[in-house]
């Protein structure tokens, strides 16, 4: 999928995607009609990962990407529901799980649906994602929601879980990653930030490696992202028939 940035140009997500699309040689879409919208709940580096994975797994469809002004679960789900006013019926939401338990995470999402009088049914799920078939005032749409995080001993679960684990697979990087993890007391966001402060080149090296890695390797480090992108594409293609 090719991303079309829907946020205002002066927002941080727009600047970030423009910068990294240029650095990595990934084309962004111009003002073309979008087949769906991806909502980034927590900003950067989620947006960079999304840019790379969409490019790697399907460059055909144009999808919008945006981020609500406030970070977090509720803001992201409200942003998704606002998208249906523009007659968008294919939605994907990427969120950090943070310190929430699985049940608490999904309950918070579904509480927003209930508050907004959205009827919903879970049509596919695994531990880290759910796909909802929804309707609101007779308008039908689907929302695929994924929770960032891997089953590792981090203090919380974020997109940085995946990036740190991928970093440790690179040559001569593991010791640096393990050092910043200890210093940050296994807070993945803080560790990723410290890694940039100490070894600025590693961030770019990780993103470049992700861009050129095999799809099997990407799937092993970003399993829920790959699966949800596949489902998102299937939904788009089904609606086009």
């Amino acid at each position: 999928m090719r991303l079309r940035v829907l946020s205002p140009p002066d927002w941080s997500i727009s600047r970030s995607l423009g910068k990294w699309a240029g650095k990595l040689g990934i084309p962004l879409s111009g003002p073309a009609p979008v087949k769906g919208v991806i909502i980034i709940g927590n900003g950067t580096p989620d947006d960079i990962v999304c840019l790379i994975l969409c490019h790697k797994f399907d460059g055909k469809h144009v999808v919008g990407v945006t981020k609500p002004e406030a970070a977090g679960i509720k803001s992201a789900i409200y942003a998704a529901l606002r998208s249906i006013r523009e007659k968008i019926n294919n939605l994907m939401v990427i969120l950090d799980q943070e310190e929430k338990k699985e049940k608490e995470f999904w309950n918070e999402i579904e509480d927003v649906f209930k508050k907004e009088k959205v009827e919903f049914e879970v049509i596919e799920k695994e531990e880290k994602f759910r796909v909802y078939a929804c309707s609101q005032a007779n308008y039908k749409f689907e929302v695929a929601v994924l929770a960032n995080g891997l089953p590792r001993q981090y203090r919380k679960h974020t997109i940085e879980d995946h990036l740190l684990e991928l970093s440790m697979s690179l040559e001569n990087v593991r010791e640096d990653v393990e050092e910043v993890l200890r210093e940050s007391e296994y807070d993945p966001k803080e560790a990723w930030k410290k890694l940039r402060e100490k070894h600025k080149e590693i961030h770019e090296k990780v993103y470049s490696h992700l861009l050129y890695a095999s799809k099997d390797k990407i799937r092993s480090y970003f399993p829920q992202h790959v699966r949800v992108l596949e489902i998102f594409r299937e939904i788009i293609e089904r609606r086009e028939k």
Side-chain angles (χ1 to χ4, degrees):
M1 286 167 267
R2 286 187 297 128
L3 297 184
R4 175 187 167 190
V5 183
L6 301 178
S7 299
D10 59 335
W11 283 23
S12 59
I13 187 174
S14 304
R15 297 194 305 271
S16 172
L17 284 169
K19 170 187 170 181
W20 284 99
K23 277 191 171 190
L24 297 169
I26 298 174
L28 294 171
S29 173
V34 299
K35 303 292 185 181
V37 172
I38 299 173
I39 293 94
I40 306 288
N42 298 88
T44 301
D46 308 56
D47 55 348
I48 303 169
V49 171
C50 181
L51 170 72
I52 296 170
L53 296 186
C54 284
H55 176 72
K56 284 287 287 186
F57 281 86
D58 177 14
K60 175 184 174 184
H61 302 291
V62 175
V63 297
V65 63
T66 189
K67 176 191 176 296
E69 289 189 75
I73 292 175
K74 290 182 180 178
S75 295
I77 299 302
Y78 280 119
L81 296 180
R82 284 194 297 272
S83 296
I84 70 171
R85 298 174 192 166
E86 306 298 325
K87 301 302 180 184
I88 302 295
N89 51 19
N90 307 312
L91 300 164
M92 175 176 165
V93 184
I94 302 173
L95 291 162
D96 285 341
Q97 185 176 332
E98 300 285 355
E99 297 171 335
K100 297 180 187 297
K101 301 294 185 183
E102 304 284 348
K103 184 177 181 181
E104 180 186 4
F105 179 88
W106 296 114
N107 282 348
E108 189 167 339
I109 290 164
E110 293 170 9
D111 284 347
V112 176
F113 288 156
K114 292 171 185 175
K115 183 177 179 181
E116 295 301 307
K117 296 180 170 57
V118 174
E119 295 183 11
F120 63 90
E121 177 187 358
V122 178
I123 56 175
E124 188 162 349
K125 72 175 182 178
E126 290 183 9
E127 184 179 350
K128 292 292 186 180
F129 74 81
R130 290 187 182 182
V131 182
Y132 296 93
C134 303
S135 64
Q136 186 183 50
N138 297 319
Y139 186 73
K140 298 183 185 300
F141 57 99
E142 286 164 293
V143 185
V145 182
L146 72 84
N148 292 321
L150 290 169
R152 306 290 190 273
Q153 295 302 311
Y154 293 127
R155 281 172 49 194
K156 55 186 177 182
H157 293 297
T158 70
I159 192 67
E160 287 84 358
D161 292 23
H162 306 264
L163 291 167
L164 290 165
E165 292 296 318
L166 179 62
S167 300
M168 287 190 280
S169 76
L170 305 184
E171 188 175 359
N172 300 323
V173 174
R174 175 174 284 275
E175 288 185 5
D176 295 325
V177 176
E178 290 177 342
E179 179 184 23
V180 295
L181 278 169
R182 287 191 298 270
E183 290 176 357
S184 63
E185 298 179 331
Y186 292 85
D187 179 327
K189 279 192 177 297
E190 187 63 25
W192 185 247
K193 179 183 175 183
K194 283 181 177 291
L195 193 63
R196 185 181 186 280
E197 292 170 352
K198 291 190 169 192
H199 309 281
K200 187 176 180 180
E201 76 286 353
I202 290 180
H203 274 205
E204 191 161 344
K205 185 176 180 180
V206 171
Y207 296 137
S208 181
H209 183 77
L210 181 59
L211 177 60
Y212 293 105
S214 71
K215 290 184 177 181
D216 285 343
K217 182 169 186 178
I218 294 172
R219 193 182 300 274
S220 68
Y221 287 95
F222 295 86
Q224 63 266 49
H225 302 76
V226 173
R227 182 61 191 129
V228 170
L229 281 170
E230 290 171 343
I231 293 169
F232 191 53
R233 182 188 63 208
E234 290 165 6
I235 292 170
I236 289 172
E237 291 176 349
R238 186 177 70 241
R239 289 187 182 277
E240 286 184 330
K241 291 180 179 178

